[in-house]
């Protein structure tokens, strides 16, 4: 492609993107296609001679859009948000153009150095203790992972390496294999499925602690499980504390679980995948109480902080455990200044990595802290507005507390009616939600997910729910 063509193509795409994002309400939020819909729409093989970019542009509406579920639509309320923004999209363009692979400082110094500084900025914005920050001059440091799942797995591997070394100091005759078969990790029965998977990847046992009436893991329950395991000859080594669970945005009691972890020399990893974004607002930081007891902390700016996927920020008090757990150093990756700044290849699973700090930099600069705080608060206000409408209808009930921008609700009565309610809502396709189940109670989740949301959208969503319920209950 010639430069002039690129320029025309890119400008046309920017116009398309603006048109797409600004008019999302007009599209059916849920894709309305059947599996296999796409193959008949395009040729069986790549073209021998090039298509024109205009042909490609024309195929976006014909081939791609029918199969898109519109995550940025104000009608999208499923899972948790996956926000984007214009500054972040532009940063990704530049990242694609520079196309460096910042696996070591030398491989592209700006890629590493901007990441180090951005994670200090962001760490300060959420009030992380200085022990986690590179700027403190201590051991602490941070990295952008692709996802929270990777952060949980990497923290588990670091904790595993640390515990194996500690145990070997006491039992020099024990082999690594003997120790690993005794290792046991902990998390709550409300933790995200990625925590269970991290245990499976790591080849260690995992005990799920029953959460309390508020769906929180409590310190005394964690301690009881640890004591039982110690008595059984197991070796507790890792606990994942969730701040803002996926099911219901419940908060484990970090202020209780953290000290228990410290008492038994267990690595505490905090998974604040979604809710961590809200900690840029001081009024939500009480959920982080006990953060000084954690060894690692992770949240996803790509969920709720207007940074495009992928950007999962992870801080560690002592990253050396992670770096040394899988240390390899072939000649072709070495450089003269090794050790002065992070070589991020040691902090993650893959070798190669994109320039993800750029989009964080663009977003933090072009919004500023105050506008980002307003953005978080607006979402939470919309959730409260929806909850109010729901409370005012005596056929419905709110399940648990409304935390952050998630409302868990259900029709009073059995699970079956609620399963039907969700099925019909999603079949109509005007709004999209998913359900969750806690202690056999099935409920719907309404997450505010779009930066385009207005109060009118909450009314629209509520009316849609109410209309389906009216029809169902009349029948
Ligand atoms: N942890 C929590 C609390 C989550 O809510 C989620 C996803 O919603 C995850 C982890 C997984 O996130 P990721 O897709 O970044 O791995």
């Amino acid at each position: 492609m010639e430069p002039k063509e690129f320029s025309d193509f890119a400008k046309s795409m920017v116009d398309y993107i603006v048109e797409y994002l600004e008019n999302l309400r007009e599209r059916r939020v849920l894709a309305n296609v059947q599996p296999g819909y796409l193959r008949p729409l395009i040729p069986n093989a790549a073209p021998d001679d090039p298509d024109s970019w205009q042909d490609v542009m024309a195929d976006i509406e014909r081939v791609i859009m029918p199969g898109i579920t519109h995550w940025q639509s104000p009608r999208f309320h499923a899972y948790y948000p996956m926000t984007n923004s214009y500054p972040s999209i532009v940063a990704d363009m530049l990242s694609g153009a520079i196309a460096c692979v910042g696996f070591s400082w030398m491989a592209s110094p700006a890629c590493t150095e901007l990441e180090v500084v951005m994670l200090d900025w962001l760490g300060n914005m959420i009030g992380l203790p200085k022990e986690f920050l590179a700027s403190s001059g201590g051991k602490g440091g941070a990295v952008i992972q692709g996802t929270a799942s990777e952060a949980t797995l990497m923290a588990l591997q670091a904790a595993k390496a640390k515990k194996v070394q500690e145990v070997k100091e006491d039992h020099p005759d024990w082999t690594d294999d003997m120790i690993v078969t005794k290792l046991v990790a902990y998390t709550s029965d409300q933790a995200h499925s990625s925590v269970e998977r991290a245990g499976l990847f790591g080849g260690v046992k995992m005990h799920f602690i029953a959460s309390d009436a508020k769906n929180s893991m409590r310190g005394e329950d964690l301690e009881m499980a640890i004591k039982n395991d110690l008595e059984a000859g197991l070796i507790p080594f890792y606990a994942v504390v969730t701040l803002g669970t996926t099911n219901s945005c419940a908060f484990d009691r970090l202020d209780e679980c953290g000290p228990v972890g410290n008492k038994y020399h267990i690595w505490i990893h905090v998974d604040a995948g979604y809710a961590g974004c809200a900690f840029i607002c001081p009024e939500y930081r009480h959920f982080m109480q006990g953060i000084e007891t954690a060894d690692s902390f992770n949240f996803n700016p790509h969920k709720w902080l207007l940074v495009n996927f992928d950007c999962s920020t992870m801080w560690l008090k002592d990253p050396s455990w992670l770096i040394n757990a899988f240390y390899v150093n072939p000649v072709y990756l070495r450089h003269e200044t090794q050790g002065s700044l992070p070589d991020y290849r040691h902090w993650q699973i893959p070798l190669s990595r994109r320039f993800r700090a750029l989009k964080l930099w663009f977003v933090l600069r072009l919004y500023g802290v105050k506008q980002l705080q307003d953005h978080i608060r607006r979402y939470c206000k919309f959730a409260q507005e929806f909850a109010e409408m729901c409370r005012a209808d005596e056929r419905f009930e709110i399940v648990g507390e409304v935390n952050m921008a998630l409302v868990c609700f259900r029709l009073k009565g059995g699970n079956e009616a609620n399963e039907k309610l969700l099925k019909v809502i999603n079949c109509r396709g005007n709004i999209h939600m998913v359900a969750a189940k806690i202690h056999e109670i099935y409920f719907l989740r309404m997450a505010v997910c779009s930066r385009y949301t207005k109060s009118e959208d909450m009314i629209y969503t509520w009316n849609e729910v109410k209309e389906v319920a009216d029809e169902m209950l009349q029948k």
Side-chain angles (χ1 to χ4, degrees), residues 79-80 82 146-150 152 190-195 242-247 271-275 298 300 302-303 309 312 445:
Y79 319 107
Y80 273 139
M82 192 57 80
T147 59
S149 309
E150 288 160 75
T152 304
Q190 296 300 309
H192 189 264
S193 56
S194 54
V195 180
T242 308
L243 299 184
T245 60
T246 317
N247 278 336
D271 173 8
Y274 160 71
N298 168 245
N300 286 346
H302 68 231
K303 273 197 160 56
F309 185 80
S312 184
R445 298 167 74 267

Side-chain angles (χ1 to χ4, degrees), residues 255-274:
D255 57 334
E256 297 175 0
C257 297
V260 170
N262 291 174
K263 181 173 166 189
Y264 292 93
H265 307 290
I266 291 169
W267 183 295
I268 295 287
H269 176 68
V270 177
D271 173 8
Y274 160 71

Side-chain angles (χ1 to χ4, degrees), residues 3-67:
K4 171 77 174 78
E5 260 190 302
F6 165 67
S7 181
D8 292 345
F9 184 18
K11 282 174 190 150
S12 167
M13 183 58 85
V14 167
D15 289 344
Y16 179 85
I17 289 170
V18 171
E19 179 70 19
Y20 169 72
L21 287 173
E22 298 299 323
N23 296 294
L24 273 168
R25 266 185 209 86
E26 286 160 27
R27 295 182 185 256
R28 187 185 197 271
V29 61
L30 261 178
N32 196 13
V33 292
Q34 295 302 313
Y37 91 96
L38 191 143
R39 188 182 280 277
L41 298 180
I42 58 174
N44 281 333
D48 286 334
D49 296 312
D51 287 343
S52 72
W53 66 261
Q54 289 88 349
D55 290 341
V56 174
M57 284 300 294
D59 276 352
I60 293 172
E61 280 300 321
R62 187 181 69 86
V63 179
I64 302 301
M65 284 299 161

Side-chain angles (χ1 to χ4, degrees), residues 80-301:
Y80 273 139
M82 192 57 80
T83 47
N84 72 3
S85 65
Y86 292 132
S88 184
I89 293 169
V90 173
D92 261 355
M93 275 177 70
L94 180 58
S95 167
I98 295 173
C100 65
V101 180
F103 46 67
S104 65
W105 178 86
M106 189 63 185
S108 227
C111 184
T112 298
E113 297 208 10
L114 189 66
E115 187 158 330
V116 172
V117 180
M118 282 309 100
L119 292 169
D120 276 339
W121 281 19
L122 193 58
N124 277 318
M125 278 170 65
I126 61 170
L128 274 185
K130 66 175 179 10
E131 287 77 12
F132 286 99
L133 306 181
S135 57
S136 74
K139 288 181 182 169
V143 58
I144 302 179
Q145 304 280 2
T147 59
S149 309
E150 288 160 75
T152 304
L153 174 60
M154 294 315 284
L156 179 140
Q157 297 293 4
K160 188 172 157 185
K162 183 169 190 247
K163 187 55 78 177
V164 168
Q165 184 171 316
E166 281 170 11
V167 174
K168 274 185 152 174
E169 279 163 17
D170 291 342
H171 304 277
D173 51 325
W174 289 13
T175 64
D176 284 20
D177 285 350
M178 278 168 70
I179 299 167
V180 170
T181 55
K182 291 177 196 286
L183 291 181
V184 55
Y186 302 86
T187 197
S188 122
D189 59 6
Q190 296 300 309
H192 189 264
S193 56
S194 54
V195 180
E196 182 175 1
R197 278 193 101 205
L200 294 172
F201 280 130
V204 293
K205 285 180 257 312
M206 184 157 296
H207 286 175
F208 296 91
I209 312 294
S211 50
D212 72 0
K214 286 182 155 186
N215 303 317
S216 310
M217 179 164 71
R218 303 300 299 264
E220 60 186 28
D221 299 321
L222 176 63
E223 181 158 21
M224 181 78 77
I226 292 170
K227 279 182 174 166
N228 287 342
D229 287 339
L230 284 170
E231 273 170 30
L234 297 177
I235 305 172
F237 80 106
Y238 181 59
V240 178
V241 172
T242 308
L243 299 184
T245 60
T246 317
N247 278 336
S248 65
C249 203
F251 289 81
D252 289 342
R253 290 290 298 268
L254 178 58
D255 57 334
E256 297 175 0
C257 297
V260 170
N262 291 174
K263 181 173 166 189
Y264 292 93
H265 307 290
I266 291 169
W267 183 295
I268 295 287
H269 176 68
V270 177
D271 173 8
Y274 160 71
C277 299
F279 298 156
I280 64 166
C281 302
E283 67 269 29
Y284 293 119
R285 285 196 206 138
H286 61 95
F287 288 119
M288 288 170 81
Q289 214 179 317
I291 186 63
E292 68 287 350
T293 61
D295 294 282
S296 49
F297 177 87
N298 168 245
F299 81 94
N300 286 346

